[in-house]
Amino acid sequence: MKPFTRVAGVAVPFLEDDVNTDQIAPVGGGVRFGEDYAQTFFRHRRRLADGTENPDFIFNQPDYKSPVIVVTGKNFGCGSSRESAVWALQAIGVSCIVARSFADIYRENCLQNGVLPIVLSDEAAERMESATIAAGGKQDFTVDLEERTIRGPDGLTLTFDISPSDRTRLLEGLDDIGLTMKSLDDIRAFERKALSARPWAQRADINVVRD
Amino acid sequence: MGRSLFDKIWDAHFVGTRLDGRDLLFIDRHILHELHAPHAFKKLKAAGRKVRRPDLTFAALDHTPSSAPGRDENTNPEGKPFIEAVRAGSRENGVRVFDLGDPEHGISHVVAPELGMVLPGATHAVPDSHACTVGGLGALAFGCGTTELEHVMATQVIALNRPRRMRIRLDGRLGPHASAKDVALKILAQIGVSGGRGHVIEFAGQVAKDLSVEGRLTLCNLTIEMGSRSGLVAPDDKTFDWIHGRSWAPQGAMWDRALQDWRSLPSDDDATFETDIAVNCDGLAPQITWGTDPSQVIDIGGRVPDLPDAPVNQRNAIERAMAYMGVTPGQPLDGLPVDRVFIGSCANARLPDLQEAANLVRGRRVAQGVHALVSPGSGRVKREAEALGLDRIFKDAGFVWGESACSMCAGANGDAGQAGERILSTTNRNFENRQGKGVRTHLVGPALAAAAAITGAISDVRKLTGGQA
Ligand code: SF4
């Protein structure tokens, strides 16, 4: 995974609550194997009923065509666990999402892909939202994970919290599986213990352990 | 200090703390599916890794196959590459596929409990948010993304921060024709789509006790809509009877040992919960969603709410939902014409759901112009329903009796409605465009779905039957 230290660029004020992953990366109406996630990105909302581009949809507006930061409301990414809802944002260049809150699975999917999910307190979120609207896509914001700050036009400086473990993982771009594999001895010990404590959970006649 | 059901399962599966401070939790059995697994198989292979416990790993083909009667893998050509990729990845890794035509084929969340694959006190994972369904048996399940799936495949553990505990006490006795789905929708109306965030919910109280096991599976199915990590109902004798004799359930002396363990699972009397709430379900009426998120819910006899005095962006969202759904503030839904009815999905396509609908449909006809489809949740449900003659009841009435799959739930199998159509659906998500671009989805239980198919309109099923459930 690519390490995340610092990004700078356009922030888009997508101020809606409960944006679900069916909107971000729709499958309704059929799936495509090996799809292009930039095409998937808000596939329905980006277009009007006649198939032409919807000029009111904020991601279609010229100043917001290549955002790096998305500023949004509560419970972002709720619904389906599909990871394509993170890949779709990455495909258009987004690497940081600033929200009032995230759905649990979506936040996890962000961390797995090197996308920084920032949760701000209500007060800080209000400042971020107004600064983003005021910037109108014409002035850049900088997010620095090392210092845990967001800087923007007119001297805006906000600090954010993130758990030390999530921060380290993003900063170092750690491979999650590699990290867990360091605990392989614990896993093996657990398996032996579990097999005698709750053998019914692992039916013996279909049981082959492979390391 | 007393421990909750959640704590007991968590502690029994705790492997250790990873270097970054996350807890590693052992996954007893997990099921992957064709929509997300191909990517995970590919990445696993690229990293030179294998599925670590193929004996605990299974593959479902549920999202993309057509549910048209007599379908095969070619009926929905878009789904075929997904199916083939899962077959190939599974073969290379020694993973059993519940393939089309396999007696155990079906939606993973329906198959896992009915097979006895997932048991009380067990952990489960699926790269699908409705993994939580199996909480109805008292198992702790986690829906995950594709990269987390790859992690479970490679390690057989999931890395998590310990969620908080929430208990929802469901009081009272349900009114006529109200079922588990209505209870779930009622909870959603009360706590909203993010009310459970960061928590594992335990459903308790009289209603949880009274629900059938299938009803508990339905209730837990919708916990992800509440924003929670997972949901649980404490296992009891009803659960144990339900599991006893299922194909993979323990037998003989092993059954007795398992039973002894399972009886110790329910939360201790002095267990604590970070959040504890009650929902009054006494006399609960059948529920229906009016909007585009599953918490926008009213009683079937109720009216679409007035626009709230709310900040402008919240108000905009509600206005947008109303415009999308073609409803207006204060309007009753009863009487609104419907174009389609879908009875299916991991929320509501187990045998009792189909029986409930069939009881209403028996001897009646689907209204002219309404397209009505039943897709049983699994091959087993389908066989059992056919043995009871339910297929005849539905077909005689003019329903399509489809094959088992996710079908119209997510529209990933190409089966979708037309723009502007109004659908009464026993699924769990009424999001914009979920069942096809511009499709208006109202979430309901099987009773309201059946009533709408017969009358051609959203109808209070209690009037149809004189309130006799
Ligand atoms: S039936 Fe619907 S909700 Fe359930 S697993 Fe399939 S697509 Fe997901």
Side-chain angles (χ1 to χ4, degrees):
Chain A
M1 203 172 77
K2 215 171 109 221
F4 185 111
T5 43
R6 179 169 205 243
V7 294
V10 167
V12 51
F14 186 53
L15 303 182
E16 294 180 14
D17 292 337
D18 304 315
V19 175
N20 61 63
T21 56
D22 266 274
Q23 290 190 38
I24 306 170
V27 300
V31 289
R32 273 151 294 275
F33 197 73
E35 63 187 315
D36 171 353
Y37 295 111
Q39 293 298 315
T40 305
F41 179 73
F42 282 102
R43 182 154 54 87
H44 295 309
R45 284 189 64 184
R46 254 187 9 221
R47 295 204 186 84
L48 294 169
D50 63 5
T52 58
E53 204 174 86
N54 175 4
D56 292 337
F57 189 53
I58 196 157
F59 289 95
N60 283 339
Q61 294 170 4
D63 290 328
Y64 294 120
K65 281 238 155 150
S66 342
V68 170
I69 302 158
V70 172
V71 180
T72 187
K74 285 189 217 139
N75 199 31
F76 188 74
C78 59
S80 157
S81 63
R82 65 188 68 159
E83 203 155 314
S84 50
V86 174
W87 301 333
L89 276 160
Q90 285 184 297
I92 64 151
V94 172
S95 55
C96 174
I97 305 168
V98 181
R100 298 242 178 175
S101 62
F102 288 90
D104 294 326
I105 300 177
Y106 191 82
R107 185 176 181 283
E108 210 53 50
N109 284 340
C110 285
L111 294 172
Q112 297 285 2
N113 289 281
V115 170
L116 171 62
I118 297 178
V119 178
L120 292 178
S121 66
D122 282 348
E123 194 216 321
E126 260 155 48
R127 289 180 58 200
M128 183 68 197
E129 288 165 8
S130 2
T132 309
I133 294 168
K138 294 189 166 65
Q139 287 162 295
D140 285 356
F141 289 75
T142 305
V143 175
D144 189 320
L145 180 56
E146 236 147 26
E147 2 172 276
R148 292 187 287 109
T149 57
I150 305 174
R151 291 178 200 280
D154 301 324
L156 174 87
T157 306
L158 300 167
T159 55
F160 59 87
D161 285 330
I162 180 167
S163 81
S165 63
D166 292 346
R167 180 163 167 267
T168 311
R169 202 159 119 204
L170 286 167
L171 281 174
E172 298 184 10
L174 288 180
D175 163 30
D176 210 29
I177 297 177
L179 198 57
T180 297
M181 280 303 190
K182 293 195 197 313
S183 302
L184 190 57
D185 287 343
D186 287 346
I187 300 174
R188 288 199 185 113
F190 178 90
E191 281 171 331
R192 280 191 296 276
K193 201 178 72 190
L195 200 57
S196 56
R198 294 175 299 110
W200 57 86
Q202 303 172 31
R203 221 170 66 140
D205 58 330
I206 49 169
N207 224 9
V208 221
V209 181
R210 180 195 301 178
D211 274 338
Chain B
M1 203 180 67
R3 290 190 305 155
S4 69
L5 168 59
F6 161 76
D7 295 311
K8 293 178 192 185
I9 305 177
W10 184 278
D11 295 348
H13 291 82
F14 174 75
V15 166
T17 305
R18 199 167 70 170
L19 289 173
D20 66 346
R22 285 192 171 219
D23 285 352
L24 297 178
L25 210 66
F26 191 76
I27 297 299
D28 287 325
R29 283 183 176 125
H30 66 122
I31 308 188
L32 41 88
H33 66 75
E34 84 282 17
L35 206 51
H36 298 158
H39 187 90
F41 272 127
K42 199 163 120 194
K43 283 183 66 192
L44 203 65
K45 194 169 178 177
R49 292 180 173 125
K50 288 285 235 182
V51 172
R52 191 167 165 274
R53 293 292 305 269
D55 57 320
L56 304 180
T57 308
F58 304 89
L61 304 178
D62 48 9
H63 281 68
T64 65
S66 163
S67 53
R71 62 97 199 274
D72 64 21
E73 64 200 64
N74 300 308
T75 314
N76 172 33
E78 285 176 344
K80 195 156 182 204
F82 291 88
I83 292 174
E84 284 176 340
V86 162
R87 283 181 185 147
S90 300
R91 201 178 315 117
E92 277 171 36
N93 284 278
V95 168
R96 162 140 187 220
V97 181
F98 298 123
D99 214 319
L100 299 178
D102 187 304
E104 308 302 352
H105 174 266
I107 305 172
S108 74
H109 317 306
V110 178
V111 171
E114 70 182 12
L115 197 52
M117 171 198 289
V118 174
L119 299 164
T123 50
H124 187 54
V126 187
D128 187 287
S129 56
H130 293 101
C132 52
T133 311
V134 302
L137 298 175
L140 180 61
F142 295 99
C144 59
T146 313
T147 311
E148 275 185 293
L149 161 69
E150 186 196 344
H151 182 276
V152 178
M153 287 159 99
T155 64
Q156 203 57 33
V157 297
I158 189 165
L160 295 169
N161 293 312
R162 192 177 177 120
R164 294 187 292 276
R165 293 153 298 193
M166 175 184 286
R167 179 168 53 192
I168 299 186
R169 216 186 56 226
L170 302 165
D171 296 322
R173 288 192 195 278
L174 310 185
H177 293 296
S179 65
K181 179 64 148 297
D182 304 299
V183 175
L185 292 175
K186 174 76 186 172
I187 298 168
L188 274 156
Q190 183 167 326
I191 73 169
V193 291
S194 63
R197 216 159 36 78
H199 291 81
V200 167
I201 301 177
E202 178 174 340
F203 298 101
Q206 193 59 43
V207 174
K209 281 198 195 83
D210 291 348
L211 283 179
S212 66
V213 172
E214 289 88 349
R216 294 172 185 177
L217 295 166
T218 297
L219 174 61
C220 287
N221 177 271
L222 281 108
T223 48
I224 184 68
E225 291 358 298
M226 302 165 196
S228 69
R229 241 1 203 126
S230 203
L232 294 161
V233 174
D236 57 13
D237 284 336
K238 213 190 280 185
T239 320
F240 308 142
D241 288 344
W242 193 87
I243 294 169
H244 190 78
R246 292 193 180 262
S247 312
W248 294 12
Q251 294 170 15
M254 190 63 90
W255 171 263
D256 298 334
R257 250 184 94 182
L259 200 59
Q260 200 185 349
D261 181 82
W262 296 344
R263 287 198 194 285
S264 69
L265 287 170
S267 294
D268 300 333
D269 291 338
D270 56 345
T272 53
F273 295 82
E274 280 85 350
T275 313
D276 213 343
I277 61 171
V279 174
N280 181 7
C281 299
D282 206 37
L284 185 70
Q287 306 286 298
I288 180 168
T289 60
W290 59 263
T292 54
D293 94 36
S295 71
Q296 291 170 327
V297 170
I298 54 173
D299 285 4
I300 181 62
R303 288 166 182 275
V304 175
D306 289 327
L307 283 176
D309 242 349
V312 62
N313 64 333
Q314 279 173 36
R315 212 182 139 108
N316 283 348
I318 290 171
E319 279 174 331
R320 212 182 81 207
M322 288 183 180
Y324 181 87
M325 290 301 291
V327 298
T328 49
Q331 171 191 354
L333 292 182
D334 195 348
L336 213 55
V338 304
D339 303 288
R340 281 175 197 259
V341 169
F342 175 61
I343 299 177
S345 90
C346 59
N348 263 145
R350 282 166 280 269
L351 190 61
D353 301 320
L354 305 192
Q355 284 173 308
E356 192 183 351
N359 284 340
L360 288 156
V361 166
R362 183 179 287 115
R364 296 184 164 111
R365 292 282 309 163
V366 171
Q368 188 117 38
V370 174
H371 181 274
L373 168 66
V374 186
S375 171
S378 69
R380 185 183 301 255
V381 170
K382 183 163 185 266
R383 289 192 300 278
E384 288 174 357
E386 287 171 355
L388 295 171
L390 304 189
D391 57 326
R392 283 254 57 94
I393 296 175
F394 284 116
K395 284 194 275 194
D396 288 349
F399 274 83
V400 175
W401 177 248
E403 305 288 341
S404 141
C406 294
S407 190
M408 276 207 62
C409 175
N413 70 340
D415 231 336
Q418 304 292 317
E421 282 186 343
R422 194 173 295 286
I423 305 192
L424 255 66
S425 180
T426 66
T427 53
N428 41 35
R429 288 187 176 141
N430 51 343
F431 299 151
E432 283 177 28
N433 308 308
R434 169 120 173 150
Q435 293 187 302
K437 187 168 166 107
V439 169
R440 296 162 167 168
T441 304
H442 296 270
L443 303 178
V444 290
L448 286 189
I454 295 158
T455 60
I458 297 175
S459 305
D460 189 339
V461 59
R462 296 168 302 184
K463 288 191 224 153
L464 212 66
T465 62
Q468 301 303 306

